[in-house]
Amino acid sequence: MKFRFIAALLGLAASLVLATASQAQTTAEVRNALAKVLPNFPASAKIIKTPYAGLYEVDIGDRVFYTDASGRYLFAGEILDTKTGTNMTKERIAELQKISWKDLPFKDSFKVVYGNGKRQIAVFEDPYCPYCHQLDKTLEKMSNMTVHVFLFPVIRPESPAKSREVWCAPDRSKAWQAWMNDQKDPPKAPAGCVDPLKANLALGQRLGIESTPTMFLENGQRITGAVDAAEIEKRMAMK
């Protein structure tokens, strides 16, 4: 349902379709105005008044759109502060995507420790994801890291079986590293082994994870993709 809504929203934004002529003065009125003209407008959408240009932000979980006070015009795009050079939309999305580190179900992950393991990071990875291989090498070089690996098999049909083999191995960390570094197959998973793969996929859906690797830092920051060490260090330093 959300995907149908997004398609409709993007279509309206691209063509600058007029939504309604009524003058809305509160977020509740903006919500009502949009709900009348947009099919499948989600009740969970969050609407706030921004401190700039009289715009209202419409947050539907993984995308941010904007509308005016009347709810008449709707558009998708990025807002830039030309004085400071700040991408206001990018910063806002990063804030909306933050999580509470302590709420992650670490029982459904396993640890890979580099150096003294003082710093921590959680990563959702698929064993066949080439960018995950690249990221793992970056994290190893950064040293002093504890990486909580959440197996997230979404890339290939064989991803679930390989993930299950890693999880059910006597030493998950060694099995994972052997596969990621040298493509050495882990032992076959015993029939009675219970894995967290379905739980991880459900968690990923709740968190809006759409690709691997997706990282979460102790400060709640989310990073998508195989970024370099400098970017990870920069984001780790944020509050």
Side-chain angles (χ1 to χ4, degrees):
M1 179 176 289
K2 185 168 73 173
F3 294 109
R4 292 199 300 270
F5 165 70
I6 291 173
L9 203 55
L10 287 174
L12 287 172
S15 59
L16 294 178
V17 172
L18 302 185
T20 178
S22 63
Q23 182 66 27
Q25 296 299 327
T26 68
T27 56
E29 289 175 317
V30 171
R31 180 183 299 279
N32 291 336
L34 294 176
K36 287 179 181 179
V37 295
L38 292 176
N40 303 314
F41 186 75
S44 60
K46 299 176 182 177
I47 301 175
I48 65 169
K49 190 177 188 306
T50 73
Y52 40 80
L55 294 175
Y56 287 78
E57 172 192 290
V58 183
D59 165 29
I60 62 169
D62 56 355
R63 292 174 186 266
V64 167
F65 298 88
Y66 300 96
T67 186
D68 65 344
S70 71
R72 181 177 181 179
Y73 298 100
L74 185 73
F75 66 94
E78 296 183 341
I79 295 177
L80 307 179
D81 184 331
T82 57
K83 185 175 182 179
T84 65
T86 303
N87 186 320
M88 306 297 289
T89 303
K90 186 176 180 179
E91 284 200 352
R92 178 61 177 156
I93 291 174
E95 182 65 26
L96 291 170
Q97 289 184 336
K98 288 179 70 174
I99 65 162
S100 173
W101 173 264
K102 63 180 179 62
D103 290 340
L104 286 173
F106 293 106
K107 64 180 178 59
D108 293 332
S109 69
F110 60 88
K111 297 178 184 179
V112 177
V113 180
Y114 302 116
N116 62 25
K118 182 178 180 180
R119 302 184 294 178
Q120 297 191 78
I121 189 171
V123 188
F124 286 71
E125 298 187 274
D126 183 297
Y128 289 99
C129 164
Y131 296 107
C132 297
H133 290 248
Q134 181 179 331
L135 175 64
D136 284 7
K137 292 178 181 178
T138 297
L139 295 175
E140 183 176 7
K141 290 178 181 177
M142 289 178 68
S143 73
N144 297 336
M145 298 278 286
T146 294
V147 182
H148 300 269
V149 178
F150 286 82
L151 294 168
F152 197 66
V154 293
I155 292 182
R156 295 187 185 179
E158 56 267 37
S159 292
K162 187 65 65 181
S163 297
R164 176 175 165 77
E165 288 174 354
V166 171
W167 180 264
C168 298
D171 188 322
R172 294 164 184 161
S173 176
K174 287 184 178 180
W176 178 253
Q177 290 177 286
W179 169 254
M180 297 298 277
N181 294 332
D182 304 311
Q183 286 69 61
K184 182 179 178 181
D185 287 316
K188 296 298 180 182
C193 176
V194 178
D195 65 66
L197 301 184
K198 288 184 179 180
N200 287 353
L201 291 172
L203 174 63
Q205 185 174 24
R206 291 195 300 273
L207 295 176
I209 296 175
E210 297 180 343
S211 62
T212 57
T214 293
M215 293 171 276
F216 293 98
L217 310 182
E218 286 187 271
N219 60 14
Q221 291 279 332
R222 176 193 305 238
I223 306 176
T224 302
V227 299
D228 58 24
E231 178 65 17
I232 297 173
E233 294 281 6
K234 174 185 173 182
R235 300 285 288 274
M236 282 183 162
M238 294 181 178
K239 293 184 179 180

